[in-house]
Short mmCIF file of all heavy atoms in Angstrom, two decimals:
data_model
loop_
_atom_site.label_atom_id
_atom_site.label_comp_id
_atom_site.label_asym_id
_atom_site.label_seq_id
_atom_site.Cartn_x
_atom_site.Cartn_y
_atom_site.Cartn_z
N ASP Z 246 2.72 -5.24 4.49
CA ASP Z 246 1.41 -5.87 4.59
C ASP Z 246 0.51 -5.51 3.43
O ASP Z 246 -0.69 -5.71 3.49
CB ASP Z 246 0.72 -5.43 5.89
CG ASP Z 246 0.84 -6.49 6.97
OD1 ASP Z 246 1.28 -7.61 6.66
OD2 ASP Z 246 0.50 -6.20 8.13
N LEU Z 247 1.07 -4.96 2.36
CA LEU Z 247 0.25 -4.51 1.23
C LEU Z 247 0.51 -5.39 0.01
O LEU Z 247 1.61 -5.42 -0.53
CB LEU Z 247 0.54 -3.05 0.90
CG LEU Z 247 -0.19 -2.48 -0.34
CD1 LEU Z 247 -1.70 -2.65 -0.20
CD2 LEU Z 247 0.18 -1.03 -0.54
N LEU Z 248 -0.54 -6.09 -0.41
CA LEU Z 248 -0.50 -6.89 -1.62
C LEU Z 248 -1.27 -6.17 -2.72
O LEU Z 248 -2.24 -5.46 -2.44
CB LEU Z 248 -1.11 -8.27 -1.37
CG LEU Z 248 -0.44 -9.11 -0.27
CD1 LEU Z 248 -1.22 -10.41 -0.07
CD2 LEU Z 248 1.01 -9.41 -0.62
N VAL Z 249 -0.86 -6.37 -3.96
CA VAL Z 249 -1.49 -5.69 -5.09
C VAL Z 249 -1.87 -6.71 -6.15
O VAL Z 249 -1.07 -7.59 -6.50
CB VAL Z 249 -0.53 -4.64 -5.71
CG1 VAL Z 249 -1.20 -3.96 -6.90
CG2 VAL Z 249 -0.10 -3.61 -4.67
N ILE Z 250 -3.10 -6.59 -6.66
CA ILE Z 250 -3.51 -7.35 -7.85
C ILE Z 250 -3.71 -6.32 -8.96
O ILE Z 250 -4.64 -5.51 -8.90
CB ILE Z 250 -4.81 -8.13 -7.61
CG1 ILE Z 250 -4.65 -9.10 -6.44
CG2 ILE Z 250 -5.18 -8.91 -8.87
CD1 ILE Z 250 -5.90 -9.91 -6.14
N PRO Z 251 -2.84 -6.32 -9.97
CA PRO Z 251 -2.90 -5.28 -11.00
C PRO Z 251 -3.97 -5.55 -12.05
O PRO Z 251 -4.52 -6.65 -12.14
CB PRO Z 251 -1.50 -5.34 -11.62
CG PRO Z 251 -1.12 -6.78 -11.48
CD PRO Z 251 -1.71 -7.24 -10.17
N ALA Z 252 -4.25 -4.53 -12.85
CA ALA Z 252 -5.07 -4.68 -14.05
C ALA Z 252 -4.18 -5.26 -15.16
O ALA Z 252 -2.96 -5.32 -15.01
CB ALA Z 252 -5.64 -3.33 -14.46
N PRO Z 253 -4.77 -5.69 -16.28
CA PRO Z 253 -3.97 -6.31 -17.34
C PRO Z 253 -2.92 -5.40 -17.95
O PRO Z 253 -1.92 -5.88 -18.49
CB PRO Z 253 -5.02 -6.70 -18.39
CG PRO Z 253 -6.29 -6.84 -17.62
CD PRO Z 253 -6.23 -5.81 -16.55
N GLY Z 254 -3.14 -4.08 -17.92
CA GLY Z 254 -2.15 -3.18 -18.52
C GLY Z 254 -2.18 -3.19 -20.03
O GLY Z 254 -1.24 -2.75 -20.67
N SER Z 255 -3.27 -3.71 -20.60
CA SER Z 255 -3.37 -3.82 -22.06
C SER Z 255 -4.83 -3.71 -22.47
O SER Z 255 -5.73 -4.17 -21.75
CB SER Z 255 -2.81 -5.16 -22.53
OG SER Z 255 -3.15 -5.42 -23.87
N PHE Z 256 -5.07 -3.12 -23.63
CA PHE Z 256 -6.44 -3.03 -24.15
C PHE Z 256 -6.92 -4.37 -24.68
O PHE Z 256 -8.11 -4.53 -24.94
CB PHE Z 256 -6.51 -1.97 -25.26
CG PHE Z 256 -6.41 -0.56 -24.74
CD1 PHE Z 256 -5.23 0.15 -24.87
CD2 PHE Z 256 -7.49 0.03 -24.10
CE1 PHE Z 256 -5.13 1.45 -24.39
CE2 PHE Z 256 -7.40 1.32 -23.62
CZ PHE Z 256 -6.22 2.04 -23.75
N ALA Z 257 -6.02 -5.32 -24.81
CA ALA Z 257 -6.38 -6.62 -25.36
C ALA Z 257 -7.04 -7.53 -24.32
O ALA Z 257 -7.57 -8.57 -24.65
CB ALA Z 257 -5.14 -7.32 -25.93
N GLY Z 258 -6.99 -7.14 -23.05
CA GLY Z 258 -7.56 -7.99 -22.00
C GLY Z 258 -9.07 -8.12 -22.14
O GLY Z 258 -9.76 -7.18 -22.53
N SER Z 259 -9.60 -9.28 -21.82
CA SER Z 259 -11.05 -9.50 -21.89
C SER Z 259 -11.52 -10.17 -20.61
O SER Z 259 -10.77 -10.86 -19.93
CB SER Z 259 -11.41 -10.38 -23.10
OG SER Z 259 -10.81 -11.65 -22.99
N GLY Z 260 -12.78 -9.95 -20.30
CA GLY Z 260 -13.34 -10.51 -19.09
C GLY Z 260 -13.76 -11.96 -19.28
O GLY Z 260 -13.46 -12.60 -20.28
N SER Z 261 -14.50 -12.46 -18.30
CA SER Z 261 -14.96 -13.84 -18.35
C SER Z 261 -16.46 -13.87 -18.07
O SER Z 261 -17.05 -12.88 -17.64
CB SER Z 261 -14.22 -14.68 -17.31
OG SER Z 261 -14.49 -14.20 -16.00
#
Side-chain angles (χ1 to χ4, degrees):
D246 260 350
L247 176 56
L248 301 176
V249 179
I250 302 180
S255 167
F256 287 103
S259 62
S261 62

